[in-house]
Amino acid sequence: MLIFPGKKAKTNKELIEQIILEKYNHYYRLACSYTHNQEDAEDIVQSGAYKALRSYHTLKDPAFAETWLYRIMLNECFQYIRRPRHISYESMADEGDWALGSREDTYADVDLQKALHMLPEKDKAVILLKYFEDKKLEEISHILDENISTVKSRLYRAMKKLRSALDDTAVQVQDSNKPYTKKAGETT
């Protein structure tokens, strides 16, 4: 029984504020991996932080505050993906400039980013949390609110899909670099 019920709520709010400040870059990087746009990623993180601070009283166990926040940020990312997009002429012109190479590419491995983008949302979330955010499988299962065996199977399946997609890309690159030579008896 709490003698001062407001005391626990205040410490939860302070804990959430502290975690948001410490992990802001992690949340931003997570959002960027879904949006591929800095401004949208910033909006997602700000919206997630706002929702977390607004509903801090629903946090039941302060020990799981970090996973609770990751879950909120992931939900914001998923909502962003599902949201219909309205494209303006200016944004199309900006994308056209990017396609022509006038902007700097910020991703080290574009093929990996494309392969990640092709994964289903939950499989992509497991990969991002495991390899880009260095989360343990137990933490990922808490964040995604799934059984650990489900997380393991998603990780295995997603890794298999990524390998296949990256191998296909490597084969296409190798094939495009080889000069075509006509074999004896072959017709064109």
Side-chain angles (χ1 to χ4, degrees):
M1 180 174 137
L2 291 172
I3 297 173
F4 301 107
K7 184 73 172 170
K8 180 183 176 195
K10 185 176 181 184
T11 58
N12 278 353
K13 186 175 182 181
E14 291 171 353
L15 176 65
I16 290 169
E17 288 173 354
Q18 178 185 358
I19 292 172
I20 289 171
L21 291 174
E22 289 174 1
K23 301 286 184 174
Y24 186 87
N25 290 334
H26 293 274
Y27 302 139
Y28 174 75
R29 197 170 48 235
L30 178 71
C32 271
S33 67
Y34 279 96
T35 63
H36 306 291
N37 182 324
Q38 292 178 351
E39 291 83 14
D40 291 338
E42 289 170 356
D43 290 344
I44 286 172
V45 175
Q46 288 177 1
S47 177
Y50 172 74
K51 286 182 180 180
L53 290 171
R54 191 180 67 199
S55 60
Y56 70 92
H57 58 279
T58 62
L59 177 63
K60 294 176 182 155
D61 188 359
F64 294 110
E66 190 173 326
T67 57
W68 182 76
L69 277 164
Y70 262 102
R71 184 68 200 159
I72 291 172
M73 295 300 171
L74 273 175
N75 285 337
E76 286 296 308
C77 290
F78 294 156
Q79 283 180 355
Y80 169 82
I81 290 170
R82 286 186 214 112
R83 210 175 296 148
R85 303 217 182 15
H86 303 286
I87 300 175
S88 66
Y89 177 75
E90 291 82 18
S91 66
M92 287 175 48
D94 289 344
E95 287 178 18
D97 289 345
W98 180 80
L100 295 174
S102 64
R103 289 189 184 181
E104 182 179 330
D105 186 10
T106 57
Y107 295 108
D109 193 347
V110 175
D111 293 334
L112 177 61
Q113 291 297 327
K114 287 180 182 177
L116 275 171
H117 187 65
M118 291 174 17
L119 290 175
E121 290 178 8
K122 290 191 176 189
D123 292 351
K124 181 179 176 181
V126 171
I127 293 289
L128 292 174
L129 290 171
K130 174 73 176 155
Y131 295 107
F132 292 86
E133 298 297 325
D134 295 326
K135 296 292 178 187
K136 296 179 182 171
L137 292 175
E138 294 83 17
E139 292 175 311
I140 296 171
S141 70
H142 287 295
I143 291 169
L144 297 177
D145 195 27
E146 291 181 348
N147 191 339
I148 192 162
S149 60
T150 305
V151 170
K152 287 179 184 178
S153 65
R154 284 188 191 281
L155 179 63
Y156 175 76
R157 182 175 53 241
M159 290 299 293
K160 194 172 180 180
K161 288 178 183 177
L162 283 176
R163 279 189 202 105
S164 174
L166 292 174
D167 287 344
D168 290 346
T169 303
V171 168
Q172 289 173 357
V173 169
Q174 287 177 351
D175 288 345
S176 67
N177 290 337
K178 288 183 183 177
Y180 177 73
T181 56
K182 185 176 174 183
K183 295 180 183 173
E186 185 178 67
T187 61
T188 56

